Amino acid sequence: MKQNIKKVALSLVCVLGGISLSNAQKAPQLGKASLDEVIAAMTAEEKAELLIGPGMPGYAGLVPLEGEPDVRVLGAAGGNAGIERLGIPETVFADGPAGLRIQPKRENDPNTYYATAFPVGTSLASSWNTQLIEEVGKAMGEEVKEYGVDVLLAPALNIHRNPLNGRNFEYYSEDPLVAGKIASAYVRGIQSHDVGTSVKHFAANNQESNRLSVNAHVSERAMREIYLRGFEIAIKEANPWTIMTAYNKIDGTYASASDDLLKTVLREEWGYEGLVMTDWFGGYPGFETITDTTRSSDVVAQLEAGNDLMMPGTVAQKNALIKALKDGSIDEAAVNASLKRILNYILKTPTVAKYKYSDKPDLKAHAEVTRNAATEGMVLLKNEGDVLPYTNKSGTLAVFGDTSYDFIAGGTGSGDVNEAYSVSLIEGLTGAGYQIDTDLQSAYVPFVKEMTAKEMKRREENGGLLADVQRIPEMPLDKDLLAKKAKASEVAVITIGRNAGEQHDRKVSNDFYLGQDEVKMINTVSEAFHAEGKKVIVILNIGGVIETASWKDKVDTILLAWQAGQEGGNSVADVFSGVKNPSGKLTMTFPVDYNNHPSAANFPGFPAHDPKEVFYEEGIYVGYRYFNTFGVKPSYEFGFGQSYTTFEYADLKLSTTSFTDELEVSVKVTNTGAVAGKEVVQVYVAAPAQLADKPSEELKAFGKTEVLKPGQSETLSFKLTAKDLASFIDAQSAWVAEKGTYTVKIGASSLDIQLKEDFTIAEDITAEKVNNAFDLDAEMETLKN
Ligand code: BGC
């Protein structure tokens, strides 16, 4: 029935568009006629139909419609509209990035459509293991394909400019090389199933406050070296099918309408030929403006810049485009180029291939993939007295912290996956054979249940998926009970939890810094247990950076577990027990103080309550590039992470000491401890700074060993090109590897440099000449070394 209504509606559209049915029969068909013929046959209405998405399924603009929408994949975020007359099918896009986000249940359907919740971006990246990420991507890609989706709206690889960004958990790192390499692996894994990805949010989307229209003032050098570099790597190495432009403005222009970003850099310089879509309602200044049905984004500017598809699409955008097409105020060639890119994309999809998806991906196998991946992303921050691995299963563990009993699998918003189950820390430890103190358990479980229900209700009433996230308060602990538990149990485990997501940035107090209730919990538990000579282990179930300097000395061990996906509790138990040796390292700095980050002075911008402008005055000095160069000591530095074993670095070899076009660096790593483990090896370079100032260290390559048994060695080698060594020299509009002496520094972290070797470049090498772009639209001084 619904199908028939659709057909009638389509014929009406054809008639309204001035096409008779007999013409319709003769119309060129996608896949049979050439793309030029299909495009030439399109009416203005049909062009607009394809360039502007059909809206969010189940919504009129932002207003939810009653009943379940008649769509192929319930809970998908959108897709392109189909045009039956021309044989153009609808295809389906769904979020991303911690797994496929679709509705798990459908009306009058006994089947379920759960997807696997994989570890969040920060967790995946902390593995520094591109092979592992590719495996994760393959598992996700199978779910995408088997649930009938064409494009996963992921990966998300914006730079961690500031620790408070509410979506940092979806992103990978403060370093563009890490972000780019991890994203490449992710894209390769997913696209190996012949489904698409959408690399997002392109670019400089580094905050959620006023995300739809905040104007990010960024220097060209910082754009190219920091905010674009990861995208450049992912696009050139993995060729994602699609790219999603960011909401924000860059130097005065919406990213989705930026000639510099899309025409000059993406298409001309990087040669990208795929599809570019907006973020949802991108180009509208605020969500409130979307509900005004007469308002459109500037679709002419967006299309002429090469942003091919407006998602999810509004009627006002369609009307604006039809008008521009009819009165000739839009460049027809740009429109046709966009249409071609959309059609080329559609031709690649499983939809066109008529792939018979099963709705039955191998969730069981993927549970193993996520369980394993999460363990590799865990970072052992502290392990005094080798408390971990904790192998004694005879006594009881006293487990504190609300989050231990309701472990957080991932963040909120569009990145929230609808998984079938999620393993809590308690379940994970119990499953691994540990005995958990039952008094604490029976006090915590109802407390957490009640508090969580209240918080979920509050969120429901305040925007649902896009509501601000508030942490539930820690359950107050009675002093006598604590003293009793310290006597009776073997060790204390405390979980500190954090959650955040789309639309809101995190807060400085009671979020980046611990809340008073959490400080009290750490203090009282540590005092009670240390008084009995017992150890205290902290598990951090967080998506982004928190303050650690003020409390880390009070506890014995800190395991940064991140938001580890649906198998989180099992993954922690694997590391806790020593089944897995942690090998993750930080992909971002954990500062002593929030204000140590230079961006703190300019986050989230001005005015603070509703930021319209944000000035990236720190320039290229983001994360460790700042902390190392300016000698500011962090609590835990970029690249840091301990292991249950130890490694020795030796035999650093450079293929040449006078660089011409390529350098090979090799180094031998040996496991010198008592248990098997993997090591992340980081290659930093210090470059001469005549043409421009440079950070004291910049990551230029990294690798991870295989599992090395005690005594076993592996030699890792890395190739560096002139582009890798180059900085962006503004005055020359070029990437230049300047002449002088370079130092290769092999680090176990960005501060723990194990080996060094110099090489020279005789004359400046212009690795790449580019166009002038991203002129500042306001005066701004950027930080220099
Ligand atoms: C988010 C995107 C997401 C899109 C579709 C937007 O609000 O910023 O990351 O892919 O919604 O759900």
Side-chain angles (χ1 to χ4, degrees), residues 481-647:
L481 176 78
L482 264 181
K484 221 170 92 191
K485 291 302 151 196
K487 275 206 166 52
S489 30
E490 294 298 317
V491 71
V493 178
I494 303 175
T495 302
I496 298 289
R498 285 288 179 280
N499 210 348
E502 213 169 321
Q503 188 80 355
H504 305 276
D505 288 314
R506 293 173 51 209
K507 315 270 182 312
V508 176
S509 62
N510 196 13
D511 188 348
F512 175 78
Y513 291 100
L514 299 190
Q516 283 311 307
D517 53 336
E518 295 173 310
V519 172
K520 197 164 171 199
M521 172 172 65
I522 291 179
N523 286 347
T524 53
V525 171
S526 303
E527 275 161 27
F529 277 74
H530 287 158
E532 295 294 331
K534 312 241 166 105
K535 304 290 188 192
V536 178
I537 301 167
V538 170
I539 310 286
L540 296 179
N541 181 202
I542 58 182
V545 174
I546 63 168
E547 184 271 333
T548 50
S550 69
W551 57 268
K552 64 183 180 185
D553 292 341
K554 296 177 187 170
V555 302
D556 304 282
T557 291
I558 307 173
L559 177 67
L560 171 53
W562 294 119
Q563 293 166 347
Q566 68 182 40
E567 288 281 331
N570 285 334
S571 305
V572 174
D574 289 342
V575 171
F576 192 92
S577 62
V579 168
K580 289 278 166 69
N581 185 350
S583 59
K585 295 201 180 188
L586 296 178
T587 60
M588 75 298 284
T589 306
F590 273 54
V592 169
D593 192 296
Y594 170 69
N595 290 305
N596 289 160
H597 265 285
S599 62
N602 282 295
F603 187 94
F606 306 97
H609 69 280
D610 180 24
K612 302 272 189 291
E613 316 285 329
V614 54
F615 292 88
Y616 287 32
E617 284 177 343
E618 69 283 356
I620 59 160
Y621 295 102
V622 175
Y624 72 92
R625 283 172 168 77
Y626 173 78
F627 285 82
N628 284 18
T629 310
F630 290 82
V632 181
K633 204 170 163 17
S635 181
Y636 296 109
E637 74 272 15
F638 176 86
F640 177 80
Q642 300 186 12
S643 165
Y644 296 157
T645 188
T646 50
F647 297 97

Side-chain angles (χ1 to χ4, degrees), residues 386-406:
D386 294 339
V387 181
L388 289 183
Y390 192 82
T391 49
N392 174 5
K393 291 184 182 169
S394 60
T396 53
L397 311 181
V399 183
F400 301 93
D402 300 342
T403 320
S404 297
Y405 298 84
D406 191 11

